[in-house]
Amino acid sequence: MIRKETLLSWPMIAFMVLFFISPLLLLAGISLRGEDGSWGLGNFAAFLSDPFARGVLTGTLALGAKVTFFVSLAALPLVMLYWHAGKLLRGLILICTLLPMLTANVVRTFAWVVLLGRNGPISQTLLGLGLTERPFSLLFSETGLIIALVQIELPLLLLPVFAVLNRADRKTLEAAEVLGAGRWRAWFSAIFPQIIPAVLAGWVLVFASATTSYVTQSVIGGARLIYLPQFVYREVGVLFQWPMAAAISILLLASTGVIMLGLTMLARHERLQGHA
Amino acid sequence: MLETRSKISTALYWAFVWGCGLMVLAFMIGPILLALLMSFNSGTTLRFPPEGFSLRWYEMLFDPIASEPIHTAAKNSIEVALSTVAVVTLITAPAAWALARAPKRFAGSVEPVLLAPLVLPSLVYALAALLALSLLGLGPSFLAVLIGHAAVFAPLMFRTVLGLAQRMNPALEEASATLGASRARTFLRISLPGILPGILAGAFLVFMQSLDNVSVTLFLGDPGRTMLPLRLFAMLEESLDGRVAAVSGVLILAAALLLVTLQRFGGRDAR
C-alpha cells in the first residue's frame, strides 16, 4: 500500500528501478551465460585464467590504488591550509577546487597532453635545470597518466573533507594547543580523526573514478597501456563478446564494491567512531 | 634545548602547511589556466610555450563553415543536456521533497537506491543500458542517451534538493494551510522557494555532467549524431587541433558564468 506522503517519490523510484537497476541486473545475468548457451561462472574463469586479461585487471586496480595514494598525499597540506585559512582564503581554495570539477573532462585531459609532451613545461624545466640530457615525453606512460589523474580526481577527495571542516569545532584544536601538544600533534590528534569518514568516502570516489576514466586513460595512456575500460570497449565494440564484457564489468564492480565495503566497515569501526 | 626543538617543529609545520598547500593549489588550478593560455596561442600547432597572442583559434571555432561539425555536435549536446535537466527536475524535485517528509524507515531504505548511480562507474551502466537496448531490439538513439543521462545524473539533483527539503521547517507549510491558503498556493509560495536553490544547483551539476559525459553518450548515442565530448575526444586523438583549446576556453567561461549567476539567484545554500 502506497502511503499518501510518499506518493510523489514513486515516479523517481519507478524510473530508477526501470532504467537503472534492471539493466544492471540484466548485465549480471548475461555475465553468467556461456558461449554454448550454458549458465555458470565460465566467463569469469576464462577471464581470470588468461594471463593478459589478469594483467589488465591487476594493472587497473593498481592504477586506482596509486592514484588514490597520491591524491591523499597531495590533499593533506591543502586540507591543513584550508583548516587554518580565514574566510577569504577558504573561499579562494573552494573556487580553485570547484573549477577543475566543472571543467570538461576533455579540457583537463587536453591540458595534460600539452603539459606532459616533449616540448611541455615539465620536460623543458628539467632540461633547463640540467636534470635530464634530452627532452622527454611523459605521454603514453603510466607516470604521466597518474600525474594527470591525481590532478583530475583531487577535488573528489577535497570537497567532502572541506564540508566536514566547515562544520568542525575549532575549540578541540585550541584545547589541544593549550594543553601543550605541538602543532603537528594537535592537528593529527584533534582534527584528523574528525575528517576520517569524509576521507574514506572520498577514497571510494577517487578509486572508482580513476579505474574507469576511459577518456584520460586512452588519451594520456595511449594505445599501449590497456586498462579495463578499454578492454571492455574492445570486447563489445570490436569483438561483440557480450557475456565476456559483462563478466569483466561485474569484476570491476565487485572489486570496487569490496574496497568500498571494507572502507565502510573501517569507518564504522568503534575505535574510529569513538574519536569522530 | 626542548624549546628550540619545538620552535623548529612549529616552523616546519607552517612551512609544510603554507608551502606544500599553495603548491598543491597551483597544481590543481595550473592545467586549467594553461588550457586557457594555449587557446590564445598564435602558433600553427599547440606547441608549448605559446608563440604569441592571437584570437585565430576562436575565429576559426566560430567560423560557421570550417567548424560546422563542432557546432552541430555542440547543438546536439546542449539539446540532450537541457532535456536531461528537464526530465531530472520533474522526477527528482517531488521525490526529494516527499522523502524529506516520509517516515524515516521508508526514506532510509529508498535513498540508497536513488543515490546508487553516484558510486557506480557510468561506463558499467552504459554497457548495461546498451545490452538492455539490444535485447529489446532497439538501436542507439537520442531518447536512449536522454534516459541514460537522466538515470545516471538524477542523484546529483536529488542530493541537493533533499538537503534543503530536510532543513525546511514543516510548520511553515502547516501554517500556510491553516491560514487558508490553497494547496497550490502553499506549494508555490512556501515549498517551492524553499527547495529552489537546491533545484538550481542540481540543474547546474546535471547540465555540466551531461555535457561532459563520454561513456553513456558513446554507448547509447546514434553514431550519426555526434556529441560535443565525443567530437573533442576525436580531435584530441587525431591531432592537436588548436580549436580544442578554444572550445576549452569557451567551456571554462560558460561554467564560471553559470556558477556566478547561480550564486546570485540561489543564495549561499546552493552548492
Side-chain angles (χ1 to χ4, degrees):
Chain A
M1 158 94 200
I2 296 175
R3 297 174 57 148
K4 214 175 90 195
E5 61 260 53
T6 65
L7 199 65
L8 284 172
S9 66
W10 283 100
M12 183 177 181
I13 296 172
F15 187 91
M16 297 308 271
V17 168
L18 193 62
F19 295 120
F20 191 81
I21 310 282
S22 34
L24 289 171
L25 291 178
L26 263 180
L27 188 76
I30 204 136
S31 72
L32 299 172
R33 181 136 184 119
E35 260 174 63
D36 47 1
S38 63
W39 297 86
L41 293 170
N43 293 315
F44 294 92
F47 180 85
L48 291 173
S49 62
D50 175 1
F52 175 73
R54 219 169 40 221
V56 172
L57 176 67
T58 49
T60 307
L61 297 181
L63 177 74
K66 286 175 200 163
V67 170
T68 311
F69 174 76
F70 286 112
V71 162
S72 319
L73 213 60
L76 180 67
L78 192 55
V79 166
M80 290 167 81
L81 182 63
Y82 186 82
W83 168 253
H84 288 291
K87 219 173 171 181
L88 202 69
L89 185 59
R90 275 195 177 190
L92 184 75
I93 295 176
L94 203 59
I95 290 174
C96 289
T97 313
L98 280 173
L99 202 60
M101 264 201 116
L102 298 176
T103 329
N105 203 340
V106 181
V107 174
R108 291 179 280 183
T109 304
F110 154 73
W112 281 105
V113 172
V114 176
L115 275 165
L116 297 171
R118 195 173 298 278
N119 298 305
I122 297 177
S123 159
Q124 293 297 324
T125 310
L126 291 185
L127 191 70
L129 291 173
L131 291 173
T132 173
E133 284 181 8
R134 58 179 83 106
F136 62 94
S137 166
L138 283 170
L139 276 178
F140 313 135
S141 75
E142 205 197 31
T143 314
L145 180 60
I146 290 175
I147 296 175
L149 281 175
V150 167
Q151 187 260 341
I152 291 172
E153 319 290 6
L154 246 175
L156 294 179
L157 177 60
L158 289 175
L159 287 177
V161 174
F162 288 169
V164 171
L165 287 184
N166 282 339
R167 279 180 275 128
D169 191 5
R170 263 177 199 279
K171 289 201 188 86
T172 33
L173 185 71
E174 280 159 19
E177 275 162 9
V178 170
L179 288 174
R183 283 275 170 194
W184 292 97
R185 250 190 79 192
W187 206 87
F188 279 101
S189 59
I191 305 304
F192 195 65
Q194 298 187 40
I195 63 169
I196 286 177
V199 170
L200 297 179
W203 276 356
V204 173
L205 292 177
V206 172
F207 185 86
S209 177
T211 47
T212 59
S213 57
Y214 180 77
V215 172
T216 315
Q217 284 173 4
S218 24
V219 174
I220 310 268
R224 242 173 3 98
L225 290 173
I226 301 283
Y227 297 98
L228 278 186
Q230 286 96 324
F231 199 85
V232 171
Y233 190 68
R234 197 192 58 161
E235 290 289 330
V236 174
V238 184
L239 307 171
F240 297 103
Q241 290 291 335
W242 271 106
M244 191 48 144
I248 302 169
S249 343
I250 298 293
L251 270 179
L252 186 66
L253 268 192
S255 19
T256 316
V258 166
I259 293 166
M260 208 153 82
L261 209 68
L263 288 178
T264 316
M265 271 157 68
L266 202 68
R268 289 208 181 134
H269 196 277
E270 44 196 298
R271 283 245 308 269
L272 290 177
Q273 281 274 302
H275 279 292
Chain B
M1 184 64 186
L2 214 67
E3 192 86 332
T4 26
R5 245 186 68 189
S6 91
K7 259 188 191 154
I8 291 172
S9 151
T10 307
L12 271 177
Y13 179 83
W14 290 117
F16 179 73
V17 169
W18 281 94
C20 297
L22 291 178
M23 256 162 61
V24 173
L25 204 61
F27 170 70
M28 205 159 59
I29 201 80
I32 292 167
L33 298 181
L34 179 94
L36 270 178
L37 185 75
M38 296 303 287
S39 70
F40 296 110
N41 176 21
S42 65
T44 39
T45 56
L46 283 177
R47 220 170 263 153
F48 191 88
E51 287 165 30
F53 178 85
S54 90
L55 291 172
R56 58 181 290 185
W57 297 116
Y58 286 94
E59 276 163 25
M60 212 170 137
L61 178 67
F62 287 112
D63 187 291
I65 299 161
S67 301
E68 200 267 334
I70 303 180
H71 292 188
T72 317
K75 207 185 111 246
N76 289 342
S77 275
I78 291 173
E79 246 173 62
V80 169
L82 285 178
S83 323
T84 304
V85 168
V87 171
V88 168
T89 309
L90 278 179
I91 59 169
T92 303
W97 185 82
L99 283 180
R101 278 149 191 77
K104 278 241 153 51
R105 258 187 61 195
F106 179 78
S109 56
V110 172
E111 274 163 29
V113 178
L114 300 186
L115 290 171
L118 284 179
V119 285
L120 190 101
S122 72
L123 183 86
V124 174
Y125 171 73
L127 193 72
L130 180 61
L131 175 70
L133 266 186
S134 59
L135 285 182
L136 290 172
L138 300 169
S141 66
F142 174 85
L143 191 66
V145 177
L146 172 59
I147 291 178
H149 280 197
V152 174
F153 301 130
L156 294 172
M157 188 186 283
F158 180 72
R159 214 173 35 175
T160 54
V161 179
L162 188 70
L164 283 184
Q166 279 171 339
R167 266 182 284 152
M168 246 167 84
N169 188 353
L172 287 176
E173 281 160 5
E174 280 160 27
S176 164
T178 319
L179 290 172
S182 69
R183 276 198 156 192
R185 202 175 151 81
T186 302
F187 175 76
L188 281 178
R189 300 297 294 269
I190 308 290
S191 318
L192 191 61
I195 57 171
L196 193 62
I199 295 179
L200 287 176
F204 173 71
L205 291 174
V206 171
F207 184 81
M208 296 305 289
Q209 289 291 323
S210 167
L211 210 57
D212 187 31
N213 180 276
V214 168
S215 40
V216 177
T217 319
L218 182 69
F219 278 63
L220 302 185
D222 176 0
R225 277 179 72 135
T226 355
M227 309 269 283
L228 190 61
L230 300 184
R231 185 80 215 109
L232 292 176
F233 181 35
M235 281 162 73
L236 208 56
E237 279 203 317
E238 283 159 17
S239 66
L240 273 182
D241 191 326
R243 282 176 296 174
V244 180
V247 178
S248 307
V250 173
L251 286 176
I252 293 170
L253 185 72
L257 277 182
L258 261 171
L259 197 65
V260 171
T261 321
L262 262 179
Q263 290 235 307
R264 272 274 162 91
F265 279 105
R268 52 187 190 83
D269 274 332
R271 194 190 71 70

